[in-house]
DNA sequence: CCCAGGTCCATTGCGCGCAATGGAATCGCG
DNA sequence: CGCGATTCCATTGCGCGCAATGGACCTGGG
């Protein structure tokens, strides 16, 4: 046998964890969609509401740090939540650069209807809570590795200001 | 301690595997971006090229089944690959409903430059190949559960044609 | 007090993903 | 053979994600 395949081809689609994660996230989104439609939310909007249900009255920046999203994504998303009557967006009085996001009564009320979502997803996953918790921890480790790497390397640094490694 | 938290709140963002997967996929995309920029590809375009490097001359439908994407996503993506000179898109002569995607010489040649991508990602993940293979298998199990569920349930069936459960 | 630098949000442009719709080609049943 | 059903791809509309840019605001050194 003169090796019919070139070892374990790293460029083979089905070998790649990344593709598995990528396609699984899309299937998860499709699974969430009919559940969240009843709440009038998309999945990223649902994530923003999760943060607000935990801690009301947060800035766009703080929201972005929790969700790992930037203002280019959040600004239009929050405007849609506002026009849906779920949140209010107001400039901070003490620091007008910031915009504070606050739940409306309607937004707070939506939480009760959201409580049936996680159990439905758990069931659809076909896995146990323990398995999912274990997976979460392992994937988190990868996310942290990617995250710390992305924070350091990219700065092409125009010049001057070498305060990190100097 | 009168339980300061309400058990293990399923609506808590950081409890959810789904958010971990969602945010990790975005970080992966950001990690791939500078690597793939050298090839002139986005991540979904890279995935399509992976399939074509495995098996040239495939239909849009076959590509969609491998990548779990539909024509609404693939048609414009493939047009961009075509205008980049990497593939050709031609109607099948025997069945003109189908469009066959074939690599150009330039598209085949890009494979060599792509070989450095998987090792870079492996390193950035901070994990061993064994750990990633194990994760892949576990996430695949969830993907299969979601997939089989999505295939059955949704048909709202206008009427008639009850061939599955009838 | 002034203003250079930094922070925070908004905007723009592009490429997905996907639901929904439509048109052209093919298939299959009578 | 004829015609309704099905298959396959293209198009449209919308909501992300994100890089890049810009503007308003704040802060700190002089």
């Amino acid at each position: 046998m003169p090796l019919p395949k070139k070892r374990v081809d790293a460029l083979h689609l089905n070998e790649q964890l990344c593709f598995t994660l990528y396609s699984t996230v899309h299937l998860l989104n499709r699974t969430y969609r009919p559940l969240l439609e009843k709440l009038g939310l998309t999945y990223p909007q649902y994530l923003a509401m999760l943060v607000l249900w935990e801690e009301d009255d947060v800035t766009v920046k703080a929201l972005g740090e929790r969700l790992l999203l930037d203002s280019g994504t959040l600004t239009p998303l929050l405007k849609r939540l506002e026009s849906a009557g779920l949140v209010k967006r107001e400039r901070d009085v003490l620091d007008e650069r910031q915009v504070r996001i606050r739940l409306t009564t309607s937004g707070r009320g939506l939480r009760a209807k959201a409580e049936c979502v996680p159990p439905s997803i758990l069931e659809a996953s076909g896995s146990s809570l323990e398995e999912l918790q274990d997976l979460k921890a392992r994937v988190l480790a990868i996310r942290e590795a990617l995250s710390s790497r992305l924070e350091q390397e990219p700065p092409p640094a125009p010049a001057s200001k070498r305060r990190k490694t100097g």
Side-chain angles (χ1 to χ4, degrees), chain A:
Chain A
M1 276 221 205
L3 36 130
K5 295 183 179 181
K6 316 160 186 187
R7 288 176 277 180
V8 181
D9 193 342
L11 285 177
H12 193 295
L13 181 72
N14 290 342
E15 290 297 325
Q16 300 197 1
L17 169 65
C18 299
F19 170 64
T20 302
L21 291 177
Y22 163 89
S23 52
T24 301
V25 164
H26 290 324
L27 287 188
L28 269 173
N29 197 358
R30 284 182 233 171
T31 304
Y32 270 105
R33 190 181 307 272
L35 300 173
L36 294 180
E37 242 163 30
K38 298 170 188 166
L39 312 187
L41 296 174
T42 64
Y43 183 65
Q45 290 168 10
Y46 168 71
L47 293 180
M49 294 301 288
L50 287 184
V51 172
L52 290 166
W53 287 328
E54 279 178 39
E55 179 190 4
D56 199 352
D57 192 5
V58 297
T59 65
V60 174
K61 178 179 174 55
L63 202 52
E65 284 171 352
R66 286 296 303 275
L67 300 178
L68 305 185
L69 295 173
D70 69 358
S71 74
T73 299
L74 287 176
T75 295
L77 184 154
L78 293 170
K79 283 184 176 178
R80 280 185 283 270
L81 288 182
E82 184 175 43
S83 63
L86 298 175
V87 307
K88 279 180 299 187
R89 299 162 59 245
E90 287 167 1
R91 290 273 165 191
D92 187 305
V93 182
L94 297 181
D95 184 347
E96 296 208 346
R97 289 171 305 180
Q98 300 185 154
V99 169
R100 307 200 71 88
I101 311 299
R102 275 182 273 261
L103 289 171
T104 63
T105 305
S106 168
R108 254 185 304 275
L110 196 62
R111 189 184 186 287
K113 288 174 68 178
E115 277 173 357
C116 66
V117 172
S120 299
I121 295 296
L122 173 61
E123 192 203 348
S125 76
S127 298
S128 69
L129 204 49
E130 291 72 26
E131 165 72 355
L132 298 185
Q133 294 285 352
D134 180 62
L135 263 181
K136 190 189 67 176
R138 288 157 175 259
V139 178
L140 260 183
I142 293 178
R143 192 183 85 180
E144 291 310 310
L146 297 174
S147 181
S148 61
R149 210 184 171 77
L150 285 171
E151 277 171 13
Q152 312 175 357
E153 304 222 1
S160 75
K161 172 173 50 164
R162 62 181 68 188
R163 201 180 293 165
K164 56 162 187 165
T165 57

